[in-house]
Amino acid sequence: SLFWCFVIIGACMYVFAIVFVGVATEHFKVAKLAESDGEDDDISSELKRKYGTIYKAMVTLFMSISGGDDWGNCMRPLASVHEVYALVFMFYIFVMTLGVLNVVVGTFVATAAEIASKDRDSLVSYELMRMNDYHSRIKTFFHEADTDSSGTLSLEEFTNHLENRKVKAYFQALEIDVVHAYELFELLDVDRTNQVTIDEFIDGCLRLKGHARSIDMN
């Protein structure tokens, strides 16, 4: 969309440049530089400098809307030829500053908002992926600890599994403090059945994860 905005700006400038170069060319034909008086000589020189070619005209038109030159100075030689051309130039300024350039600014804002939205979507996707991975690791721990395949963990199964140093390190990798196994089991066993289901285990681990673990343990 930004590309087409720049194309539209360039096309508008090119069309008006053709018009103003045509004005300058006709003026040169009517009043030859060598035969004109002092005022005409100044007008012709300024027209030649600002609108002598398509390139010069487009540069002048670009400067008039970008702050490179005051648009009144750019309009003056055209107004000296005829007042109609001054009106045409003012119409160009009106179209470019109040129309096209505002559209371009709006496009930039929309593009920036779209990029920000994509960044948010990427962040959400990353967090969801990380959460799914965390769930998977917790389930792996649960199934490894559930030695009788009952679908629940007893305090004995839980503590026995934590006696393995590798298991304890793995649990620490889940950002959960396992220093006090009994207290931890009590926190996981929310229904006080002395058995922890997989849902209780996952919910409890998420509750104890990271900084929340110290608060809950206290």
Side-chain angles (χ1 to χ4, degrees):
S1 57
L2 289 176
F3 170 77
W4 288 112
C5 285
F6 292 139
V7 170
I8 292 174
I9 292 175
C12 289
M13 291 174 57
Y14 182 74
V15 170
F16 280 96
I18 292 175
V19 172
F20 296 140
V21 169
V23 172
T25 302
E26 289 300 318
H27 176 76
F28 295 148
K29 288 180 180 179
V30 173
K32 297 295 184 179
L33 183 60
E35 299 174 355
S36 59
D37 55 21
E39 182 180 357
D40 287 337
D41 182 69
D42 292 339
I43 295 173
S44 298
S45 298
E46 198 168 4
L47 280 173
K48 186 176 182 180
R49 182 169 59 87
K50 293 184 177 181
Y51 302 100
T53 63
I54 294 293
Y55 172 76
K56 291 181 179 179
M58 291 191 69
V59 170
T60 300
L61 294 177
F62 178 75
M63 292 173 65
S64 68
I65 62 172
S66 62
D69 194 0
D70 185 76
W71 66 268
N73 295 333
C74 299
M75 182 186 67
R76 187 174 297 110
L78 298 172
S80 299
V81 175
H82 199 284
E83 294 178 353
V84 172
Y85 303 130
L87 295 176
V88 174
F89 190 89
M90 285 189 288
F91 177 72
Y92 161 78
I93 295 296
F94 174 81
V95 169
M96 294 298 291
T97 57
L98 300 183
V100 177
L101 293 183
N102 281 340
V103 172
V104 173
V105 171
T107 303
F108 269 105
V109 173
T111 302
E114 182 180 354
I115 293 174
S117 177
K118 289 181 179 180
D119 288 342
R120 287 193 297 269
D121 293 341
S122 298
L123 180 60
V124 170
S125 299
Y126 172 75
E127 288 298 325
L128 289 175
M129 181 180 66
R130 198 165 66 91
M131 188 64 67
N132 290 335
D133 178 66
Y134 189 79
H135 280 199
S136 176
R137 292 161 65 187
I138 292 175
K139 289 179 180 178
T140 299
F141 180 92
F142 181 89
H143 291 306
E144 289 177 352
D146 184 19
T147 55
D148 59 1
S149 301
S150 62
T152 59
L153 283 183
S154 64
L155 176 60
E156 182 180 2
E157 288 177 321
F158 185 70
T159 54
N160 288 340
H161 198 56
L162 286 180
E163 288 178 358
N164 189 318
R165 293 181 61 184
K166 291 184 178 180
V167 172
K168 184 176 293 187
Y170 179 75
F171 213 69
Q172 292 282 4
L174 296 177
E175 302 180 45
I176 299 174
D177 193 350
V178 293
V179 174
H180 305 288
Y182 178 78
E183 289 83 351
L184 179 60
F185 186 85
E186 288 293 314
L187 289 172
L188 296 174
D189 184 21
V190 292
D191 56 3
R192 300 294 182 254
T193 60
N194 293 324
Q195 297 286 330
V196 176
T197 65
I198 189 169
D199 290 334
E200 288 178 327
F201 191 75
I202 293 175
D203 291 341
C205 288
L206 290 175
R207 197 157 38 86
L208 296 170
K209 181 176 181 293
H211 298 294
R213 64 190 180 191
S214 298
I215 298 175
D216 289 337
M217 288 293 287
N218 292 331

